[in-house]
Amino acid sequence: MGHYIEVEPNVNVYVEDVGEGTPIIFIHGWPVSHKMFEYQQTELPKHGYRFIGIDLRGYGKSDAPWSGYDYDTMAADIHAVVTKLELTDAALAGFSMGGPIAIRYLSKYKENPISKLILLGAAAPIFTQRDEYPHGLEKSGVDDIISNLKADRQAMLKDFGGMFFHQEMSDAFNDWFLNLGLTATPHATIHSAEALRDEDGRVDLASVHVPTLILHGKHDEICPFEFTSFMNEGIAESTVVPFENSGHGLVFEEKEKVNHEIVKFLKG
């Protein structure tokens, strides 16, 4: 079932809540929605898990205020949802931009019900290059993305989808995936790109004190596989599982392996 939760006055986020058992909260990436986890939503409840997919503010069915697309505010939104649902002993899974937001949530809210963390193609600890962090896009590359969003958002998102996958995807799938991105509010798409460009989550990693599974495509052109070495080094109890046949879209390209690794990790 789906329902709305008020995360701040007059701002509601949409939550898809399916199945019973141990809760797994899924945080999507830029610029899509919880619907990107279709193949987890259809599979994990069979194994006794409760799928909870949050549409971040500005995305999917959630409200889209003008501001609040920084990681701190997004983490506060997750906190509001988790508190309202009164979850216990839950797992938290973050894909791409959802990864550093999930980590920021654990860093900011020490009293939380999260017992395990899953990072999928995470844009963590930083999406853009910095001193002593030579991986990812240059900030100017994100500036170009933002300019293209303002000039022709539809074409930019189609090109972005083309970078997403290592495997050849069907035309029908590509149309569906593009539509997920087009459903997002334009200003949220731009403001979140600014957050991806500017946020630095390196100090957050040491705040993760739960077992962490890092799943990442070896051919990722958006969040390079090199990111995993920083996450693995910074998160004390973490394990990296490489996906040899995936780009950024590992939840689609090797969905059976993703689900297998998640279930194995949660049952372990």
Side-chain angles (χ1 to χ4, degrees), residues 7-8 11 56-57 65 67-80 101 104 108-109 199:
V7 294
E8 64 181 43
V11 178
L56 295 169
R57 60 170 61 202
S67 60
Y69 299 96
D70 56 284
Y71 291 176
D72 281 351
T73 305
M74 295 286 207
D77 291 350
I78 294 170
H79 178 65
I101 292 171
R104 181 66 56 84
K108 283 192 66 177
Y109 300 96
E199 294 271 8

mmCIF file of all heavy atoms in Angstrom, residues 7-8 11 56-57 65 67-80 101 104 108-109 199:
data_model
loop_
_atom_site.group_PDB
_atom_site.id
_atom_site.type_symbol
_atom_site.label_atom_id
_atom_site.label_comp_id
_atom_site.label_asym_id
_atom_site.label_seq_id
_atom_site.Cartn_x
_atom_site.Cartn_y
_atom_site.Cartn_z
ATOM 1 N N VAL A 7 6.680 15.392 6.442
ATOM 2 C CA VAL A 7 8.054 15.465 6.940
ATOM 3 C C VAL A 7 8.392 16.838 7.499
ATOM 4 O O VAL A 7 9.344 16.998 8.277
ATOM 5 C CB VAL A 7 9.064 15.070 5.844
ATOM 6 C CG1 VAL A 7 8.894 13.591 5.477
ATOM 7 C CG2 VAL A 7 8.918 15.936 4.599
ATOM 8 N N GLU A 8 7.642 17.834 7.080
ATOM 9 C CA GLU A 8 7.697 19.171 7.666
ATOM 10 C C GLU A 8 6.382 19.836 7.292
ATOM 11 O O GLU A 8 5.643 19.301 6.452
ATOM 12 C CB GLU A 8 8.911 19.966 7.169
ATOM 13 C CG GLU A 8 8.923 20.277 5.702
ATOM 14 C CD GLU A 8 10.177 21.042 5.278
ATOM 15 O OE1 GLU A 8 11.294 20.698 5.728
ATOM 16 O OE2 GLU A 8 10.038 21.968 4.470
ATOM 17 N N VAL A 11 4.705 19.667 3.725
ATOM 18 C CA VAL A 11 5.537 18.874 2.815
ATOM 19 C C VAL A 11 5.330 17.402 3.143
ATOM 20 O O VAL A 11 5.649 16.943 4.248
ATOM 21 C CB VAL A 11 7.038 19.223 2.914
ATOM 22 C CG1 VAL A 11 7.850 18.330 1.972
ATOM 23 C CG2 VAL A 11 7.274 20.686 2.591
ATOM 24 N N LEU A 56 11.856 10.569 -2.489
ATOM 25 C CA LEU A 56 12.420 11.775 -1.908
ATOM 26 C C LEU A 56 11.625 13.004 -2.357
ATOM 27 O O LEU A 56 10.979 12.987 -3.409
ATOM 28 C CB LEU A 56 13.882 11.924 -2.334
ATOM 29 C CG LEU A 56 14.843 10.837 -1.826
ATOM 30 C CD1 LEU A 56 16.185 10.958 -2.536
ATOM 31 C CD2 LEU A 56 15.026 10.925 -0.316
ATOM 32 N N ARG A 57 11.658 14.047 -1.539
ATOM 33 C CA ARG A 57 10.948 15.278 -1.913
ATOM 34 C C ARG A 57 11.372 15.701 -3.325
ATOM 35 O O ARG A 57 12.538 15.633 -3.714
ATOM 36 C CB ARG A 57 11.224 16.395 -0.913
ATOM 37 C CG ARG A 57 12.689 16.783 -0.796
ATOM 38 C CD ARG A 57 12.888 18.036 0.019
ATOM 39 N NE ARG A 57 12.408 17.909 1.397
ATOM 40 C CZ ARG A 57 12.072 18.936 2.172
ATOM 41 N NH1 ARG A 57 12.149 20.173 1.716
ATOM 42 N NH2 ARG A 57 11.675 18.747 3.405
ATOM 43 N N PRO A 65 8.663 21.080 -2.626
ATOM 44 C CA PRO A 65 8.916 22.465 -2.224
ATOM 45 C C PRO A 65 10.105 23.028 -2.996
ATOM 46 O O PRO A 65 10.884 22.272 -3.604
ATOM 47 C CB PRO A 65 9.222 22.340 -0.729
ATOM 48 C CG PRO A 65 9.738 20.946 -0.558
ATOM 49 C CD PRO A 65 8.972 20.116 -1.554
ATOM 50 N N SER A 67 12.816 24.383 -1.851
ATOM 51 C CA SER A 67 14.122 24.151 -1.238
ATOM 52 C C SER A 67 14.136 22.823 -0.482
ATOM 53 O O SER A 67 13.118 22.136 -0.369
ATOM 54 C CB SER A 67 14.468 25.288 -0.278
ATOM 55 O OG SER A 67 13.509 25.380 0.751
ATOM 56 N N GLY A 68 15.324 22.459 0.029
ATOM 57 C CA GLY A 68 15.454 21.276 0.865
ATOM 58 C C GLY A 68 16.053 20.083 0.155
ATOM 59 O O GLY A 68 15.807 18.942 0.548
ATOM 60 N N TYR A 69 16.869 20.325 -0.886
ATOM 61 C CA TYR A 69 17.428 19.215 -1.650
ATOM 62 C C TYR A 69 18.888 18.924 -1.285
ATOM 63 O O TYR A 69 19.568 18.182 -1.988
ATOM 64 C CB TYR A 69 17.244 19.487 -3.151
ATOM 65 C CG TYR A 69 15.770 19.605 -3.466
ATOM 66 C CD1 TYR A 69 15.142 20.853 -3.535
ATOM 67 C CD2 TYR A 69 14.973 18.468 -3.570
ATOM 68 C CE1 TYR A 69 13.778 20.953 -3.755
ATOM 69 C CE2 TYR A 69 13.608 18.565 -3.788
ATOM 70 C CZ TYR A 69 13.015 19.814 -3.876
ATOM 71 O OH TYR A 69 11.660 19.916 -4.077
ATOM 72 N N ASP A 70 19.328 19.489 -0.170
ATOM 73 C CA ASP A 70 20.626 19.147 0.392
ATOM 74 C C ASP A 70 20.501 17.844 1.173
ATOM 75 O O ASP A 70 19.409 17.405 1.534
ATOM 76 C CB ASP A 70 21.102 20.274 1.315
ATOM 77 C CG ASP A 70 20.080 20.560 2.408
ATOM 78 O OD1 ASP A 70 19.041 21.202 2.117
ATOM 79 O OD2 ASP A 70 20.283 20.099 3.549
ATOM 80 N N TYR A 71 21.643 17.220 1.462
ATOM 81 C CA TYR A 71 21.623 15.919 2.122
ATOM 82 C C TYR A 71 21.064 16.002 3.540
ATOM 83 O O TYR A 71 20.388 15.063 3.992
ATOM 84 C CB TYR A 71 23.031 15.321 2.158
ATOM 85 C CG TYR A 71 23.588 14.886 0.817
ATOM 86 C CD1 TYR A 71 24.892 14.399 0.728
ATOM 87 C CD2 TYR A 71 22.826 14.952 -0.355
ATOM 88 C CE1 TYR A 71 25.427 13.993 -0.490
ATOM 89 C CE2 TYR A 71 23.359 14.563 -1.573
ATOM 90 C CZ TYR A 71 24.652 14.081 -1.641
ATOM 91 O OH TYR A 71 25.176 13.675 -2.840
ATOM 92 N N ASP A 72 21.335 17.075 4.257
ATOM 93 C CA ASP A 72 20.827 17.188 5.624
ATOM 94 C C ASP A 72 19.306 17.164 5.657
ATOM 95 O O ASP A 72 18.699 16.483 6.496
ATOM 96 C CB ASP A 72 21.333 18.482 6.282
ATOM 97 C CG ASP A 72 22.764 18.383 6.778
ATOM 98 O OD1 ASP A 72 23.329 17.268 6.766
ATOM 99 O OD2 ASP A 72 23.320 19.427 7.175
ATOM 100 N N THR A 73 18.679 17.913 4.747
ATOM 101 C CA THR A 73 17.218 17.958 4.736
ATOM 102 C C THR A 73 16.635 16.632 4.261
ATOM 103 O O THR A 73 15.638 16.143 4.814
ATOM 104 C CB THR A 73 16.719 19.105 3.844
ATOM 105 O OG1 THR A 73 17.324 20.331 4.274
ATOM 106 C CG2 THR A 73 15.204 19.247 3.937
ATOM 107 N N MET A 74 17.241 16.029 3.267
ATOM 108 C CA MET A 74 16.776 14.724 2.806
ATOM 109 C C MET A 74 16.895 13.686 3.931
ATOM 110 O O MET A 74 16.003 12.848 4.113
ATOM 111 C CB MET A 74 17.603 14.269 1.601
ATOM 112 C CG MET A 74 17.437 15.135 0.375
ATOM 113 S SD MET A 74 15.854 14.890 -0.456
ATOM 114 C CE MET A 74 16.312 15.348 -2.131
ATOM 115 N N ALA A 75 17.999 13.762 4.697
ATOM 116 C CA ALA A 75 18.169 12.843 5.835
ATOM 117 C C ALA A 75 17.095 13.091 6.886
ATOM 118 O O ALA A 75 16.581 12.147 7.500
ATOM 119 C CB ALA A 75 19.559 13.019 6.435
ATOM 120 N N ALA A 76 16.755 14.354 7.099
ATOM 121 C CA ALA A 76 15.689 14.680 8.053
ATOM 122 C C ALA A 76 14.353 14.113 7.582
ATOM 123 O O ALA A 76 13.535 13.663 8.398
ATOM 124 C CB ALA A 76 15.605 16.195 8.241
ATOM 125 N N ASP A 77 14.119 14.126 6.276
ATOM 126 C CA ASP A 77 12.890 13.540 5.736
ATOM 127 C C ASP A 77 12.842 12.037 6.018
ATOM 128 O O ASP A 77 11.796 11.488 6.396
ATOM 129 C CB ASP A 77 12.794 13.790 4.230
ATOM 130 C CG ASP A 77 12.552 15.248 3.875
ATOM 131 O OD1 ASP A 77 12.275 16.059 4.780
ATOM 132 O OD2 ASP A 77 12.657 15.579 2.671
ATOM 133 N N ILE A 78 13.979 11.364 5.819
ATOM 134 C CA ILE A 78 14.027 9.927 6.124
ATOM 135 C C ILE A 78 13.751 9.695 7.599
ATOM 136 O O ILE A 78 12.996 8.782 7.974
ATOM 137 C CB ILE A 78 15.396 9.344 5.721
ATOM 138 C CG1 ILE A 78 15.561 9.405 4.204
ATOM 139 C CG2 ILE A 78 15.541 7.902 6.207
ATOM 140 C CD1 ILE A 78 16.965 9.089 3.737
ATOM 141 N N HIS A 79 14.334 10.512 8.441
ATOM 142 C CA HIS A 79 14.116 10.384 9.888
ATOM 143 C C HIS A 79 12.633 10.521 10.224
ATOM 144 O O HIS A 79 12.101 9.769 11.052
ATOM 145 C CB HIS A 79 14.930 11.442 10.624
ATOM 146 C CG HIS A 79 14.743 11.431 12.104
ATOM 147 N ND1 HIS A 79 15.133 10.381 12.900
ATOM 148 C CD2 HIS A 79 14.185 12.350 12.951
ATOM 149 C CE1 HIS A 79 14.837 10.643 14.169
ATOM 150 N NE2 HIS A 79 14.254 11.825 14.216
ATOM 151 N N ALA A 80 11.968 11.476 9.578
ATOM 152 C CA ALA A 80 10.540 11.678 9.826
ATOM 153 C C ALA A 80 9.733 10.446 9.419
ATOM 154 O O ALA A 80 8.811 10.027 10.138
ATOM 155 C CB ALA A 80 10.044 12.911 9.074
ATOM 156 N N ILE A 101 22.951 10.031 1.136
ATOM 157 C CA ILE A 101 21.848 10.509 1.970
ATOM 158 C C ILE A 101 21.592 9.520 3.106
ATOM 159 O O ILE A 101 21.389 9.922 4.263
ATOM 160 C CB ILE A 101 20.584 10.742 1.122
ATOM 161 C CG1 ILE A 101 20.792 11.925 0.174
ATOM 162 C CG2 ILE A 101 19.358 10.973 2.008
ATOM 163 C CD1 ILE A 101 19.691 12.096 -0.852
ATOM 164 N N ARG A 104 24.358 9.990 5.576
ATOM 165 C CA ARG A 104 24.146 11.227 6.325
ATOM 166 C C ARG A 104 23.074 11.033 7.405
ATOM 167 O O ARG A 104 23.206 11.556 8.524
ATOM 168 C CB ARG A 104 23.755 12.358 5.366
ATOM 169 C CG ARG A 104 23.518 13.723 6.013
ATOM 170 C CD ARG A 104 24.768 14.342 6.618
ATOM 171 N NE ARG A 104 25.852 14.464 5.667
ATOM 172 C CZ ARG A 104 26.001 15.484 4.799
ATOM 173 N NH1 ARG A 104 25.118 16.474 4.769
ATOM 174 N NH2 ARG A 104 27.038 15.516 3.983
ATOM 175 N N LYS A 108 23.677 11.751 11.304
ATOM 176 C CA LYS A 108 22.957 12.806 12.034
ATOM 177 C C LYS A 108 22.077 12.272 13.153
ATOM 178 O O LYS A 108 21.879 12.955 14.163
ATOM 179 C CB LYS A 108 22.066 13.599 11.052
ATOM 180 C CG LYS A 108 22.790 14.588 10.180
ATOM 181 C CD LYS A 108 21.794 15.501 9.477
ATOM 182 C CE LYS A 108 21.058 16.393 10.478
ATOM 183 N NZ LYS A 108 20.145 17.346 9.825
ATOM 184 N N TYR A 109 21.513 11.090 12.961
ATOM 185 C CA TYR A 109 20.521 10.569 13.898
ATOM 186 C C TYR A 109 21.061 9.283 14.534
ATOM 187 O O TYR A 109 20.865 8.187 14.024
ATOM 188 C CB TYR A 109 19.187 10.339 13.181
ATOM 189 C CG TYR A 109 18.642 11.614 12.584
ATOM 190 C CD1 TYR A 109 18.871 11.913 11.240
ATOM 191 C CD2 TYR A 109 17.958 12.535 13.353
ATOM 192 C CE1 TYR A 109 18.415 13.099 10.687
ATOM 193 C CE2 TYR A 109 17.488 13.727 12.814
ATOM 194 C CZ TYR A 109 17.725 14.001 11.476
ATOM 195 O OH TYR A 109 17.273 15.184 10.945
ATOM 196 N N GLU A 199 28.218 18.527 -2.102
ATOM 197 C CA GLU A 199 28.272 17.829 -0.815
ATOM 198 C C GLU A 199 29.564 17.016 -0.682
ATOM 199 O O GLU A 199 30.075 16.458 -1.661
ATOM 200 C CB GLU A 199 27.070 16.892 -0.664
ATOM 201 C CG GLU A 199 25.723 17.590 -0.580
ATOM 202 C CD GLU A 199 25.334 17.944 0.849
ATOM 203 O OE1 GLU A 199 26.170 17.789 1.768
ATOM 204 O OE2 GLU A 199 24.180 18.370 1.035
#
